[in-house]
Amino acid sequence: MAPTEDKPKFSYRASPQLSANQMAEYLSPSTSSTRRTGIIRDARFPKKSIVAQYGMGREGLVNFLGDGTRSYGHLADAVVALEKREAKPGASTWMKRDSRGSIEAIEAFQRHYNKLGFSKLDCRPVHGRQPLLDLWPTRISVSLDFTIHRQPVGGKKAVGGAVLLFSKGETSTNARLERSKIIAGLLHTYAGRFLECMGDADPTLCFAVDVFGGIAHKPPGSFVKKLRNVADACDEIAARWRTVRPPSGYDGPEPD
């Protein structure tokens, strides 16, 4: 087996594909044309070595919400594990920072829990690989953290889902708000595309959760119009995909 340092640091994606977060940033009016090119570059030539931040914090929150008893023991156990990880001899600066940030995220969520409105919702963790939203030339990965279910009395089941967003620096900005609503709209679109076997897709059950800000954003009422903007952006990204060159230091496969 080749040493880790000899392995390529980049991979290559032949077909246009963005994450919901990347698409939301691409569509933001505050995003410059240079940054939009950078978003396409990051998606076409993704780094292999990126470790997801707040991973253990996310896991603790999903375990808590997915437990019908909503035992705070899940959150307490996650905090204890993170404190041990933070204090571990030889822990890197990144690991210490990520552990502390995850603890703060869990504490923020617990403070805002009642306001967020999840106490009466049926939340279920998502397992396995999730399909890509494939309605446009550029596919979008939504990556739900959990699905949300409701059984109205005498009515048909309703379904939605949520993504937990961890960002401390800009929770109150207009750009952050706009991006969160776009993500929530993509969640609703995803539910209508892939979760209808569980019930009718319900926009009131689709949330982009600003963990630090304590806000669960729903799709805006005008999202049908914004969905046209998503479609236009997907066309534009697909047209530009092969024209965007690799980043400096690229060592992945030769692009088409």
Side-chain angles (χ1 to χ4, degrees):
M1 182 179 295
T4 302
E5 58 268 24
D6 292 339
K7 293 182 179 180
K9 296 181 177 63
F10 290 87
S11 58
Y12 168 64
R13 186 175 287 125
S15 301
Q17 178 183 321
L18 264 64
S19 69
N21 281 320
Q22 288 173 322
M23 178 56 71
E25 183 182 0
Y26 192 92
L27 286 170
S28 175
S30 63
T31 302
S32 68
S33 59
T34 299
R35 176 56 192 149
R36 287 192 176 96
T37 299
I39 291 170
I40 299 175
R41 180 175 291 112
D42 292 343
R44 191 181 185 212
F45 306 101
K47 288 184 179 180
K48 287 186 174 183
S49 59
I50 293 179
V51 179
Q53 288 184 292
Y54 301 105
M56 290 181 66
R58 185 186 302 276
E59 182 180 357
L61 295 179
V62 171
N63 288 341
F64 167 71
L65 289 166
D67 179 1
T69 68
R70 295 289 165 86
S71 169
Y72 283 104
H74 289 296
L75 302 184
D77 290 346
V79 169
V80 169
L82 285 160
E83 288 175 340
K84 290 181 178 178
R85 180 175 180 248
E86 182 183 24
K88 187 177 181 179
S92 66
T93 300
W94 185 93
M95 184 180 292
K96 291 179 180 179
R97 184 172 62 247
D98 181 65
S99 298
R100 179 49 44 187
S102 293
I103 291 170
E104 292 172 357
I106 291 172
E107 292 173 344
F109 184 89
Q110 190 166 350
R111 283 196 306 273
H112 299 302
Y113 176 61
N114 290 330
K115 183 180 73 171
L116 286 167
F118 286 111
S119 59
K120 297 181 179 180
L121 295 178
D122 176 8
C123 302
R124 305 176 191 176
V126 176
H127 301 290
R129 191 171 184 176
Q130 299 180 49
L132 298 170
L133 198 53
D134 57 356
L135 303 174
W136 309 286
T138 299
R139 298 183 298 175
I140 302 174
S141 59
V142 175
S143 301
L144 292 177
D145 284 307
F146 49 91
T147 54
I148 302 174
H149 305 259
R150 184 172 63 214
Q151 175 67 70
V153 177
K156 189 176 179 181
K157 293 179 181 179
V159 67
V163 169
L164 300 172
L165 304 177
F166 300 85
S167 180
K168 296 175 67 176
E170 54 167 11
T171 53
S172 62
T173 66
N174 289 334
R176 176 68 176 175
L177 175 65
E178 180 70 16
R179 290 200 296 272
S180 296
K181 288 185 175 182
I182 290 172
I183 292 170
L186 290 171
L187 290 178
H188 182 226
T189 306
Y190 179 96
R193 175 73 174 84
F194 297 113
L195 303 181
E196 291 251 271
C197 60
M198 304 178 188
D200 289 335
D202 188 337
T204 68
L205 297 179
C206 297
F207 303 99
V209 184
D210 183 341
V211 173
F212 286 103
I215 303 173
H217 297 280
K218 297 178 184 178
S222 60
F223 193 70
V224 171
K225 179 180 178 180
K226 291 184 182 297
L227 207 55
R228 292 199 292 270
N229 295 339
V230 172
D232 290 343
C234 286
D235 288 342
E236 178 179 286
I237 291 163
R240 297 186 59 195
W241 192 255
R242 289 193 175 189
T243 69
V244 174
R245 306 311 304 160
S248 175
Y250 177 73
D251 60 356
E254 186 67 25
D256 296 337

